[in-house]
Amino acid sequence: MGEIMISDLPSPLIVVNFRMPKFNEENGRTRFARATQRSRHPVPSLEEEPDWIMRSIPCAPAGTVVIPNIMCWRGGTEKRSNSAWITMGVGYTPLWFRVGRSENTLPHNRYESLSDRTRKFCRPIVALPK
């Protein structure tokens, strides 16, 4: 005890999920285990998972926006329908948070065409000129 863990800090990422079809138990929705973001216990295996987590599937009409706490435990469910599972997710991070996989993703020629203000925001992700 006494150690600070990543779960003790605010999340550096906010995700917004736009769900196109309604979500229910039949179409394979994500389970969100509420209030687990500060847990110091390991994530349980499927065999050990409590029933309340297995049933923690949000049910809502099509077009619902879900803003989950990404630090909470979550997992998929079995898809038991023939309907398409369509969702769009957008992630937002502060400028100080560096995600390694984002580096060098903006082509330099595209970067050069941006306004000065936009270049300032995109500097961490621009690729080196060829």
Side-chain angles (χ1 to χ4, degrees), residues 17-34:
N17 293 319
F18 301 89
R19 306 299 175 125
M20 305 310 168
K22 68 178 180 177
F23 35 129
N24 56 38
E25 291 185 28
E26 283 72 46
N27 58 9
R29 291 296 168 219
T30 303
R31 295 172 290 126
F32 296 102
R34 295 177 310 225

Side-chain angles (χ1 to χ4, degrees), residues 6-7 10 25 56 60 68 75 81-84 86 94 102 105 117:
I6 189 72
S7 59
E25 291 185 28
S56 61
S81 74
N82 291 327
S83 65
I86 303 167
S102 296
T105 56
R117 183 172 186 272

Side-chain angles (χ1 to χ4, degrees), residues 39-106:
S39 176
R40 295 196 182 262
H41 300 286
V43 178
S45 67
L46 286 176
E47 295 77 28
E48 300 169 332
E49 195 169 277
D51 197 45
W52 72 269
I53 293 178
M54 291 296 273
R55 290 193 325 259
S56 61
I57 301 168
C59 295
T64 298
V65 173
V66 176
I67 305 175
N69 182 334
I70 62 146
M71 305 281 277
C72 285
W73 299 346
R74 58 200 179 282
T77 59
E78 178 185 9
K79 187 172 183 291
R80 298 182 300 230
S81 74
N82 291 327
S83 65
W85 193 93
I86 303 167
T87 189
M88 182 179 76
V90 179
Y92 299 93
T93 60
L95 284 175
W96 54 262
F97 184 71
R98 304 277 190 232
V99 179
R101 66 178 185 263
S102 296
E103 294 173 3
N104 303 323
T105 56
L106 178 63

Side-chain angles (χ1 to χ4, degrees), residues 111-122:
Y111 173 78
E112 289 295 320
S113 70
L114 301 174
S115 69
D116 290 340
R117 183 172 186 272
T118 306
R119 280 191 213 163
K120 177 183 171 189
F121 292 117
C122 294

